[in-house]
Amino acid sequence: MSKSGILTSSLAKKYWMALSGLFLITFLIGHLLGNLQLITKTGEEGRRAFNEYAYFMGHNIFIKVLAYVTYISILAHAFLGLFLAVKNKQARPQSYAYNKPSANSGAASRYMAILGTAILIFICTHMANFWYKQKVAETVPLHTKSVMRSEKQQNPMTGEMVESNIRINYLLTTKGEYVPYTIKEMNQNMYFNPQTGQAVTGKDTALFDVKEVTHLYDKNTGLQVGEGYKDLHTVVMNFFGQSEQGKPTNEYALWAVIGYVVSMFVLMFHLWHGFASAFQSLGLNHRKYNGLISFVGKAFAIVVPLLFAIIPVIIYLNR
């Protein structure tokens, strides 16, 4: 068989589909471990851990290469699946006079193309809700922490001691530091910024400039202080119904949770047949190991989608 035949034959397409499927299975494991931080860690610790994880996934060169491989694998897997489904249909244009599919294959096997298409639709909407906002629209806010504080300071104009309640927003930088980002006087008294000596009135006064979305620069010196994390944690929490960092919650949060859970059950059925089928397509099945492969595949098909589905449910119930 020629090299072009190896790459374009139906058998070769089954090989590529199996390989892309197994690669996406490994991606699911890594993605799940990162997402579990949304429910295993709470408060500021959980928010920081998840945003640091998201930053690492977007900036590590090895992970970035894997991300592009993942995008290509998703498209290739979907295209090859639909292509093979159409080819199989064309090879048998007329149904047998007596046809009982359930006697020869399971439901997951018979509806792989439909299940795969549903998963592809979910992936597109999922990326639109999170990946697009972070990477393209750049609407994800910076990771800040708000602290209320009462201070007494001397009014340089009158010498009088003035007590003020102030709110300081700290921004988490990639250096692992919380730096004062904005300050706001919360009552009628005047608060004097110790860095400039100027009075702060009832609006947020920025101590730093943010350029290029996440880069933090000192207003006085113009020097870069550090880079901030995007607060993807808050975006996810708001999307699934929690009001975090004063951001409005998604009014359709319940439907978002239901849609996500249904999609994970679709993924479960897809993996139920797909895991073992990939080994078979690659010729790696063996009487001695088929039972183990089938058990691991079915366990994976249940546990991984179930854990994914639990995450938005817990977020919504804890709102």
Side-chain angles (χ1 to χ4, degrees), residues 41-63:
K41 297 179 180 180
T42 59
E44 179 62 19
E45 178 194 4
R47 192 160 68 106
R48 177 170 179 169
F50 185 78
N51 289 336
E52 288 176 344
Y53 152 75
Y55 180 89
F56 173 78
M57 295 295 286
H59 289 76
N60 181 276
I61 185 63
F62 178 71
I63 299 297

Side-chain angles (χ1 to χ4, degrees), residues 20 23 53 110 145 178 182 192 205 226-227 232:
S20 61
F23 174 78
Y53 152 75
R110 296 195 303 275
K145 180 177 69 171
Y178 287 96
T182 63
F192 295 92
T205 301
E227 184 177 0
L232 190 61

Side-chain angles (χ1 to χ4, degrees), residues 288-315:
K288 195 172 182 180
Y289 308 112
N290 283 348
L292 178 62
I293 292 173
S294 178
F295 172 79
V296 172
K298 286 177 170 52
F300 184 92
I302 294 173
V303 173
V304 171
L306 186 61
L307 288 175
F308 269 115
I310 285 172
I311 294 171
V313 172
I314 291 178
I315 292 174

Side-chain angles (χ1 to χ4, degrees), residues 5-26:
I6 292 174
L7 294 174
T8 60
S9 68
S10 293
L11 183 60
K13 288 182 174 63
K14 287 183 179 180
Y15 287 153
W16 289 115
M17 187 175 181
L19 287 171
S20 61
L22 289 175
F23 174 78
L24 292 173
I25 284 172
T26 62

Side-chain angles (χ1 to χ4, degrees), residues 2 4 33 65 69 92 100 117 123-124 129 166 197 224 253 318:
S2 66
S4 61
L33 293 176
V65 171
V69 173
R92 190 179 299 166
K100 191 177 181 181
T117 302
I123 291 172
C124 292
N129 288 322
I166 62 170
Q224 184 175 349
N318 288 337

Side-chain angles (χ1 to χ4, degrees), residues 244-275:
E244 189 173 282
Q245 305 303 310
K247 304 295 182 182
T249 60
N250 176 15
E251 60 179 316
Y252 303 108
L254 178 58
W255 291 109
V257 173
I258 292 172
Y260 193 97
V261 171
V262 170
S263 297
M264 290 305 102
F265 275 100
V266 172
L267 177 62
M268 182 184 297
F269 280 108
H270 192 71
L271 291 172
W272 186 266
H273 171 74
F275 191 100

Side-chain angles (χ1 to χ4, degrees), residues 66-309:
L66 277 182
Y68 286 109
V69 173
T70 301
Y71 304 149
I72 295 170
S73 296
I74 290 171
L75 294 174
H77 193 74
F79 171 77
L80 291 172
L82 291 172
F83 176 86
L84 291 171
V86 171
K87 280 293 184 182
N88 289 339
K89 188 70 175 176
Q90 289 175 345
R92 190 179 299 166
Q94 290 184 336
S95 301
Y96 293 124
Y98 173 75
N99 185 24
K100 191 177 181 181
S102 58
N104 301 313
S105 61
S109 173
R110 296 195 303 275
Y111 298 111
M112 284 295 282
I114 296 174
L115 295 173
T117 302
I119 293 169
L120 182 61
I121 294 171
F122 164 76
I123 291 172
C124 292
T125 56
H126 188 66
M127 293 186 72
N129 288 322
F130 302 108
W131 181 88
Y132 180 84
K133 290 179 180 178
Q134 184 182 20
K135 300 290 186 180
V136 182
E138 294 184 338
T139 57
V140 177
L142 291 172
H143 180 130
T144 57
K145 180 177 69 171
S146 184
V147 176
M148 293 293 297
R149 197 163 71 193
S150 179
E151 287 189 357
K152 281 188 176 182
Q153 289 188 312
Q154 187 177 36
N155 186 330
M157 303 292 292
T158 64
E160 178 188 5
M161 294 301 294
V162 179
E163 183 171 348
S164 294
N165 293 316
I166 62 170
R167 184 185 69 200
I168 305 177
N169 288 323
Y170 291 89
L171 187 145
L172 176 64
T173 71
T174 54
K175 296 178 181 179
E177 304 170 335
Y178 287 96
V179 297
Y181 174 42
T182 63
I183 55 177
K184 182 178 182 180
E185 176 257 334
M186 303 300 291
N187 55 21
Q188 297 303 314
N189 295 323
M190 219 172 252
Y191 169 74
F192 295 92
N193 183 349
Q195 291 188 349
T196 64
Q198 295 178 341
V200 178
T201 56
K203 67 177 182 178
D204 283 317
T205 301
L207 303 179
F208 300 95
D209 289 321
V210 178
K211 301 177 182 179
E212 300 171 28
V213 183
T214 59
H215 294 175
L216 199 64
Y217 289 82
D218 189 295
K219 271 185 172 292
N220 296 321
T221 64
L223 298 176
Q224 184 175 349
V225 177
E227 184 177 0
Y229 289 104
K230 291 182 179 180
D231 194 2
L232 190 61
H233 183 276
T234 293
V235 173
V236 175
M237 290 295 181
N238 293 158
F239 185 78
F240 289 122
Q242 280 200 28
S243 178
E244 189 173 282
Q245 305 303 310
K247 304 295 182 182
T249 60
N250 176 15
E251 60 179 316
Y252 303 108
L254 178 58
W255 291 109
V257 173
I258 292 172
Y260 193 97
V261 171
V262 170
S263 297
M264 290 305 102
F265 275 100
V266 172
L267 177 62
M268 182 184 297
F269 280 108
H270 192 71
L271 291 172
W272 186 266
H273 171 74
F275 191 100
S277 178
F279 283 87
Q280 184 176 352
S281 296
L282 294 171
L284 299 177
N285 54 328
H286 190 281
R287 284 185 306 171
K288 195 172 182 180
Y289 308 112
N290 283 348
L292 178 62
I293 292 173
S294 178
F295 172 79
V296 172
K298 286 177 170 52
F300 184 92
I302 294 173
V303 173
V304 171
L306 186 61
L307 288 175
F308 269 115

Side-chain angles (χ1 to χ4, degrees), residues 25-42:
I25 284 172
T26 62
F27 162 76
L28 285 175
I29 296 173
H31 194 47
L32 175 62
L33 293 176
N35 283 8
L36 282 174
Q37 294 180 100
L38 292 165
I39 58 174
T40 57
K41 297 179 180 180
T42 59

